[in-house]
Amino acid sequence: MKLIDFIKQKLGLSPESVENNTPIIDRIGWTGQDFEFLIVGEVNVLSDFDQLMTPNSFEWTKTHKNGWDYYQVGQDEFSYSFEEPGIQMTFNDEISFDKAKKIGDEVILNINSTGQNAELLIVDKRKVHGFN
């Protein structure tokens, strides 16, 4: 089984999980402390990172602190980390799930508009402790 398929199955994102009656997760009250995203697929974004990895419908600024680049969107921020299964996208604790999901969806659209095939996976941080 490919790593991506395994991750999807374990996170309840594959058709098999639906067939096995895995409950649908209610994310309405989630904030950034509850989730992070994982961008998977054959993705090469290094040549134009800031343009591809930022939303189009939100104004954003890039800041650098503690050795990391952060993207500020209003009062919220997000950052990226390259991990073995994909590109990890993390958010500040207060951001709403809906706002973060819109940002993540726009990033995926940006990547896919280049002819690549990226997918956004939602990771429940309460169940995952890292990608070591």
Side-chain angles (χ1 to χ4, degrees), residues 25-68:
I25 300 169
D26 180 8
R27 298 181 178 107
I28 291 175
W30 277 18
T31 62
Q33 62 189 343
D34 299 312
F35 66 89
E36 58 191 39
F37 297 149
L38 186 63
I39 299 170
V40 297
E42 298 296 321
V43 178
N44 181 357
V45 295
L46 295 177
S47 63
D48 204 2
F49 193 85
D50 286 347
Q51 183 177 358
L52 293 174
M53 303 303 283
T54 55
N56 297 321
S57 68
F58 294 96
E59 296 224 8
W60 59 271
T61 56
K62 184 177 180 178
T63 60
H64 189 81
K65 59 184 174 182
N66 301 323
W68 290 93

Side-chain angles (χ1 to χ4, degrees), residues 4 7 25 51 54 64 70 86 98 104 111 118 122 124:
I4 299 304
I7 292 168
I25 300 169
Q51 183 177 358
T54 55
H64 189 81
Y70 289 86
D98 288 340
I111 296 169
I122 301 163
D124 185 340

